[in-house]
Amino acid sequence: MHWNSLADFLAMGSHGLYVWGSVAVMALLMLAEPTLLLQGRKRLIARLKRQYRAERSEARLKSQTNTGRSRD
Amino acid sequence: MLILIRAVIGRDLRLAMRRQADIVAAMFFFIIVVSLFPLGVGPEPDQLRKLAPGVLWVAALLATMLSLPRLFAEDHRDGTLEQLALAPQPLGLVVLGKVIAHWLVAGLPLVLLAPVLGIQFDLAGDALAVLTLSLLIGTPALSGIGAIGAALTLGVRGGGVLLSLLVLPLYIPVLIFGAGAVDATVSGLGPQAHLSLLGALALGGVFFAPWPTAAALRVALE
Amino acid sequence: MLILIRAVIGRDLRLAMRRQADIVAAMFFFIIVVSLFPLGVGPEPDQLRKLAPGVLWVAALLATMLSLPRLFAEDHRDGTLEQLALAPQPLGLVVLGKVIAHWLVAGLPLVLLAPVLGIQFDLAGDALAVLTLSLLIGTPALSGIGAIGAALTLGVRGGGVLLSLLVLPLYIPVLIFGAGAVDATVSGLGPQAHLSLLGALALGGVFFAPWPTAAALRVALE
Amino acid sequence: MLEASNLECVRGERRLFADVSFRLEGGEMLYLQGMNGSGKTSLLRMLCGLTPAASGEIRWRSQPIGKLGETFRSELCYLGHHNAIKEELTPLENILSSARLAQESLDEEAALDALELVGLHGREDLACRYLSQGQKRRAALARLVHEKRALWILDEPYVALDRAAIQLIAGLVGAHLQRGGLAVLTTHQAVAVPAAAVRELWLGADDATQQRF
Amino acid sequence: MLEASNLECVRGERRLFADVSFRLEGGEMLYLQGMNGSGKTSLLRMLCGLTPAASGEIRWRSQPIGKLGETFRSELCYLGHHNAIKEELTPLENILSSARLAQESLDEEAALDALELVGLHGREDLACRYLSQGQKRRAALARLVHEKRALWILDEPYVALDRAAIQLIAGLVGAHLQRGGLAVLTTHQAVAVPAAAVRELWLGADDATQQRF
Amino acid sequence: MSNRVINWFRYASPQTFYPLAGRLIPWFWALAAIFGVAGLTIGFLVAPTDAQQGEGYRIIFLHVPASWMSMFIYLVMAFWAAMGLAFNTRLSGMMASALAPTGALFAFLSLWTGALWGKPMWGTWWVWDARLTSELILLFLYIGFIALQAAIDDPRRADKAGAILALVGVVNIPIIYFSVKWWNTLHQGASVSLTKAPSMAALMLWGMLLCALACWMYSIAIALMRVRTIMLERERHTDWVRALLAEKE
Ligand code: HEM
Ligand SMILES: Nc1ncnc2c1ncn2[C@@H]1O[C@H](COP(=O)(O)OP(=O)(O)OP(=O)(O)O)[C@@H](O)[C@H]1O
Ligand SMILES: Nc1ncnc2c1ncn2[C@@H]1O[C@H](COP(=O)(O)OP(=O)(O)OP(=O)(O)O)[C@@H](O)[C@H]1O
Ligand SMILES: [Mg+2]
Ligand SMILES: [Mg+2]
């Protein structure tokens, strides 16, 4: 172990701001990317499921009634 | 009246959003032009610092100018402009709305970017602040004046380049006061005088320019 | 094959002549950008002399770029491009013809103007000669590379600005060698190395670029 | 209501027509005919006030339209060769925003109804650039469904439409006339508009006989 | 000569048509019909090789057109929705330069004849931007007058034309078929082409019945 | 021969690739975490102070991996683009678009960490040095690629256009690099020259390599995740996606 105290570690020999600035942004972005991806994926799956359900119900409706125009 | 202006702004912003590319790419054009200069001129920091206000302002001017041809051209081509001209309100108000929308899409992003790019040129804090402020005041003038040129060259073949020919001379005062404000700050004089002249230009550009623009549009439609 | 290329060049030149504005205005854009710089940067001759190669080259680059969107856009809009794609020859040859025509209209005038503008920046005789020569060799590369970008952004909304985003990074080597040649002359080193690299880029740009361009055009037409 | 007297149109070195006069009352339609290039579009644009006439006068409710200005324009609905739709926007957005710009109130429900009526059902949310030529025209014409302004000026509305759509538009024009509106219309396709009074006007009379078959 | 088998077209999320097959011999015309948006333009562009088909194959003289490439294109003449004329050039320049780009020989005399035939007599030297909509279309169609290539693909050629011009174009197509050529044509206007064998193809069959009136 | 080609194409079909990728992703995440922890431990806790640069040099453990990845990902992207154009497989285009954002991310991180390193070492955030400039241009190339694909809605067209751009870009990258280098060395002048890192202690080297490996694994994992999402989106009309989502209920 190279460091004597936590304060030393954080100070990084007076370059703390730069070093931790790099680390923070890199960590942030590298965590944000997968998080956003997962979120997007969840949203996509939910949307697709909704869409499939709508299609199924529409198909059912069509087979039941062939008269009248329905919009949604 | 306000409703109309709002409707125009809303529609134009929606179109810009839909194209996505528009906003992002205008910003990147600005970034790239600014970054080209060191590549052409050489990397000495001292020299670059001196160039910074001029380069940034010229780049802002070009970025705005590039987006001008589309200000009316598409509305003209697809017949929307005829419809606007036939709407029961002064065409000038429609133009005012379009100018504001243009600034929001093409001017404001430049203002927000300027400080970051200034750092590449090694500008100091106060110079950065004045640079941003001068752009904030000056870019509306660019949009307003540009609209006149865009209307005058509408439907004229080769309009895009002709447009720059018409508009650039009118842009020169804006450029001089804008870059001058930053220069004055760097050299220790206050920027106030430059900035207030710039403000006057902006007010004129935004509120006076729509009327000649409207007239030019009617001529283009004849 | 040569007949086809000649036919394309002939038609494009005739169109440019008919529009008039095109050629004249591209030149004036170049002039105005070059003249804007002293306004933005300040009038010290020493500094200007150092800036000259960079500014002239950046201006040439921007002027070429501004005329790119129209390279295929009008042919696309009015259906001519479909006809060209359906013609019984490789589309690449048509593109080659259009690139040459574009250079004649947008590049060559800049080359002819450059010495005059260089004088404004107080450049010496040999530097002027090298500047002109570097533009003569370099501008064809700009037209060729630009064609790829123009084809890729064809029919894409917000294409004009997206085009500059795509094309400018590709232009950077041309800019560096072009401005570098002049700089090298000014600082006493010979420009040969730069110029021959520029020549290589130009050959590549003119004879290699038409093929990806043709591929991109076919994609745009799908 | 709409009255034109001795209109003359000069284009370049060519006099397209002269001494064109007509009078149109509420419920009447003017069916403008003539071969290609006879000046129909030019005449329509004059009636809108977009192009000035070389000579002659156009009056609306007995006032010259130049003097009426916005008052006239607020009673006018013009549909030209161009569709005036934005390719990036969806049909729904297009119809809503064009209503808003013309300062008419149109709620989304009504807009959706209009789109359904012109057969764009299922394409309300597809950017117009993907529509077929006829569908684009339909999107443009959807404006007419709830259009209540008195004077409709339609330049070849039927272009690119299929037969069903043409019947539909003719029906819309007919209903407008029934309500007491006025319409001026050009087309090269013979379509019967269900209207009480259709006046015909031939432009380029000397060519007309050659045309009529 | 021209043979399509099981063509399928998918646009965005929509399957426009599937299992479209036909066979066309010299002297025959395919009359493609269907309501707006049924995929006629898309099919024509597939036949030209501009758009790839989602599935299926197109053969010309028993070879897949993808493989034939330039050989196929040298026998093809396509006229789309757009006129492919330059607004700055005159009709004469337009017809000459489009012939040159297609590597056909056309002398000025023949070009002038063609323009006169389509009724642009007196407008040969007027920039096309001044022409009326129908005249522009006529300038585009003037290419057909001396067109000798075997396969004509025409997308709504009659749009914006007046009745005289429509008859003229129909006559040109008829003569082409007589010479043993092939044509594929769409239009919403019922125009009789004087041809021996006209095959009809309806796209969007389920809508077809609703359409037919 | 032909057999092998067919085999290859089998894995190139989204339907077979999707579950495969799903099974691989956790492993790559695990490897990324292991390498990352090890690398950062060595780099930040164990490695000694640098004689010339003090503690500030520790940015190297972030900066170099990010820089390497940003360049390497572009090559991989261009490779997939070429495959897509040559064999017209759907997977290739999807891979290329899945890689681009991650590449842009690393290019940005390289710039960011480099700038934060430059301030204490050189006294300025930015100089127009060859490496720095080429990295900036690389970021532009990525953004151009992403913007082009975003501007075209038809995915197949977007893939092809993107592929052409990626290939043209990959030809251009070495040209850019050497041109910039040349430009800069000729100028020299007042510019700050890059202080060469001292011959690195073995520990530092290890730390850097481990961090680089972690970034590799991260990139693969992310690319696979993104490509799976893209597949679902693009293939939403196919039966296999329907079946897959129905299963999940
Ligand atoms: C915005 C600023 C910077 C950018 C864009 C940048 C970019 C790069 C790139 C692209 C590489 C990989 C290139 C290669 O391996 O040949 C790299 C490596 C490296 N950079 Fe930077 N850099 C920046 C600032 C700095 C600073 C300030 C330092 C140190 C004072 C530095 C030190 C290094 C070192 C030591 C390597 C590894 C070299 C090697 O492995 O050969 N960089 N940087
Ligand atoms: N500068 C000019 N010089 C000569 N003739 C001109 C000029 N500008 C326009 N024209 C002519 O004016 C006419 C314009 O006609 P307009 O567009 O009104 O015709 P239209 O009746 O609407 O025809 P279409 O049925 O084809 O739409 C055309 O015959 C055109 O050739
Ligand atoms: N991205 C997309 N998503 C959904 N539908 C699309 C998309 N792109 C095109 N379409 C549909 O594809 C069809 C294209 O039809 P096409 O242009 O071939 O029609 P057409 O038969 O020529 O019609 P018209 O008679 O109007 O010319 C339209 O119905 C359009 O709505
Ligand atoms: Mg007309
Ligand atoms: Mg069609």
Side-chain angles (χ1 to χ4, degrees), chain D residues 40-41 81 155-156 186, chain E residues 132-134:
Chain D
K40 301 180 294 301
T41 299
H81 277 323
D155 198 357
E156 306 209 24
T186 71
Chain E
S132 80
Q133 211 195 12

Side-chain angles (χ1 to χ4, degrees), chain D residues 11-14 16 34-43 81 155-156 188, chain E residues 123 126 130-135 160:
Chain D
R11 279 289 141 118
E13 328 209 322
R14 205 169 256 118
L16 288 184
M35 57 187 290
N36 289 140
S38 56
K40 301 180 294 301
T41 299
S42 312
L43 178 56
H81 277 323
D155 198 357
E156 306 209 24
H188 295 296
Chain E
R123 261 103 174 170
L126 184 68
Y130 297 116
L131 296 182
S132 80
Q133 211 195 12
Q135 288 172 331

Side-chain angles (χ1 to χ4, degrees), chain F residues 80-147:
Chain F
W80 284 113
M83 298 305 283
L85 282 185
F87 299 109
N88 203 13
T89 48
R90 278 172 298 169
L91 180 63
S92 324
M94 297 184 196
M95 282 306 280
S97 12
L99 282 165
T102 308
L105 176 80
F106 278 118
F108 173 79
L109 285 175
S110 162
L111 289 172
W112 179 267
T113 54
L116 281 179
W117 197 357
K119 189 66 182 172
M121 295 305 139
W122 305 337
T124 162
W125 302 103
W126 180 261
V127 289
W128 290 92
D129 163 87
R131 252 194 207 154
L132 276 58
T133 310
S134 346
E135 186 72 20
L136 182 65
I137 296 169
L138 182 65
L139 178 63
F140 288 156
L141 284 172
Y142 275 121
I143 292 173
F145 181 89
I146 296 170

Side-chain angles (χ1 to χ4, degrees), chain F:
Chain F
M1 173 67 209
S2 69
N3 248 346
R4 217 176 312 148
V5 170
I6 289 168
N7 223 348
W8 196 87
F9 275 108
R10 204 176 81 82
Y11 282 104
S13 98
Q15 186 174 356
T16 42
F17 190 80
Y18 185 90
L20 180 70
R23 260 175 282 128
L24 290 176
I25 288 173
W27 293 100
F28 284 110
W29 276 124
L31 286 175
I34 294 170
F35 288 135
V37 169
L40 290 176
T41 311
I42 294 179
F44 279 75
L45 296 179
V46 182
T49 312
D50 182 76
Q52 288 172 20
Q53 308 190 29
E55 305 294 353
Y57 90 94
R58 287 179 202 277
I59 295 180
I60 202 174
F61 299 109
L62 311 175
H63 171 74
V64 173
S67 306
W68 283 347
M69 282 321 291
S70 68
M71 294 184 296
F72 188 69
I73 288 180
Y74 198 94
L75 288 181
V76 178
M77 204 175 87
F79 165 79
W80 284 113
M83 298 305 283
L85 282 185
F87 299 109
N88 203 13
T89 48
R90 278 172 298 169
L91 180 63
S92 324
M94 297 184 196
M95 282 306 280
S97 12
L99 282 165
T102 308
L105 176 80
F106 278 118
F108 173 79
L109 285 175
S110 162
L111 289 172
W112 179 267
T113 54
L116 281 179
W117 197 357
K119 189 66 182 172
M121 295 305 139
W122 305 337
T124 162
W125 302 103
W126 180 261
V127 289
W128 290 92
D129 163 87
R131 252 194 207 154
L132 276 58
T133 310
S134 346
E135 186 72 20
L136 182 65
I137 296 169
L138 182 65
L139 178 63
F140 288 156
L141 284 172
Y142 275 121
I143 292 173
F145 181 89
I146 296 170
L148 180 66
Q149 290 216 318
I152 305 176
D153 330 59
D154 178 17
R156 264 185 326 136
R157 265 189 65 189
D159 277 350
K160 286 188 198 163
I164 294 169
L165 181 68
L167 287 178
V168 172
V170 88
V171 173
N172 210 45
I173 280 186
I175 304 180
I176 292 174
Y177 182 70
F178 286 108
S179 71
V180 175
K181 197 163 174 156
W182 232 43
W183 158 73
N184 199 265
T185 48
L186 275 182
H187 260 276
Q188 224 31 277
S191 78
V192 195
S193 66
L194 206 143
T195 38
K196 269 262 175 281
S199 60
M200 271 186 275
L203 260 184
M204 295 185 198
L205 191 67
W206 269 108
M208 219 171 73
L209 284 179
L210 284 172
C211 285
L213 270 176
C215 285
W216 258 85
M217 296 304 135
Y218 169 87
S219 307
I220 296 176
I222 283 281
L224 290 180
M225 278 171 72
R226 190 174 285 122
V227 89
R228 270 162 59 96
T229 312
I230 294 176
M231 276 174 188
L232 284 189
E233 166 100 55
R234 290 203 192 169
E235 308 259 308
R236 59 184 176 275
H237 299 293
T238 56
D239 294 332
W240 72 267
V241 173
R242 283 170 194 272
L244 196 89
L245 292 192
E247 239 167 58
K248 283 197 168 180
E249 263 164 340

Side-chain angles (χ1 to χ4, degrees), chain D residues 5-10 17 43 46 50-58:
Chain D
S5 43
N6 301 313
L7 290 182
E8 179 185 359
C9 175
V10 178
F17 54 77
L43 178 56
M46 273 180 196
L50 284 169
T51 325
S55 71
E57 206 182 29
I58 302 164

Side-chain angles (χ1 to χ4, degrees), chain E:
Chain E
M1 304 252 278
L2 183 69
E3 199 184 338
S5 42
N6 300 314
L7 291 182
E8 179 185 358
C9 175
V10 178
R11 281 287 140 119
E13 331 210 320
R14 207 167 256 119
R15 170 177 288 121
L16 288 183
F17 53 78
D19 285 327
V20 166
S21 308
F22 63 85
R23 208 188 143 76
L24 212 63
E25 295 299 334
E28 288 181 340
M29 176 174 114
L30 182 72
Y31 179 19
L32 196 59
Q33 283 172 286
M35 56 187 291
N36 288 141
S38 55
K40 301 181 295 298
T41 299
S42 310
L43 178 56
L44 294 190
R45 290 173 61 90
M46 272 182 197
L47 293 179
C48 294
L50 283 171
T51 323
S55 69
E57 206 182 26
I58 302 165
R59 292 164 164 273
W60 172 249
R61 304 191 194 278
S62 326
Q63 306 256 18
I65 59 166
K67 244 175 73 189
L68 282 173
E70 291 170 19
T71 328
F72 172 60
R73 298 211 295 271
S74 68
E75 297 195 84
L76 166 74
C77 169
Y78 170 68
L79 267 171
H81 278 322
H82 295 292
N83 288 327
I85 57 173
K86 288 280 153 198
E87 304 239 302
E88 289 85 7
L89 300 183
T90 66
L92 181 61
E93 289 169 332
N94 263 307
I95 188 172
L96 284 175
S97 90
S98 78
R100 217 168 304 131
L101 290 177
Q103 304 218 298
E104 283 172 65
S105 62
L106 181 72
D107 59 14
E108 197 167 312
E109 208 45 49
L112 283 172
D113 280 350
L115 289 176
E116 189 174 346
L117 191 69
V118 298
L120 288 176
H121 176 61
R123 261 103 174 170
E124 295 92 349
D125 294 320
L126 184 68
C128 284
R129 113 183 67 158
Y130 297 116
L131 296 182
S132 80
Q133 211 195 12
Q135 288 172 331
K136 283 181 195 165
R137 194 79 187 150
R138 287 170 178 227
L141 290 165
R143 288 175 48 191
L144 293 181
V145 175
H146 294 295
E147 184 59 67
K148 291 286 173 292
R149 282 176 285 186
L151 175 60
W152 289 10
I153 297 191
L154 311 177
D155 198 357
E156 305 209 24
Y158 305 144
V159 154
L161 294 182
D162 61 21
R163 275 160 243 162
I166 290 180
Q167 290 304 331
L168 178 78
I169 302 302
L172 286 177
V173 175
H176 169 68
L177 296 175
Q178 222 101 68
R179 283 195 304 268
L182 290 77
V184 183
L185 189 143
T186 70
T187 177
H188 295 296
Q189 284 163 269
V191 177
V193 170
V198 174
R199 289 166 187 268
E200 298 204 6
L201 181 63
W202 274 91
L203 287 183
D206 46 340
D207 291 312
T209 43
Q210 171 202 333
Q211 275 296 299
R212 291 211 167 193
F213 51 72

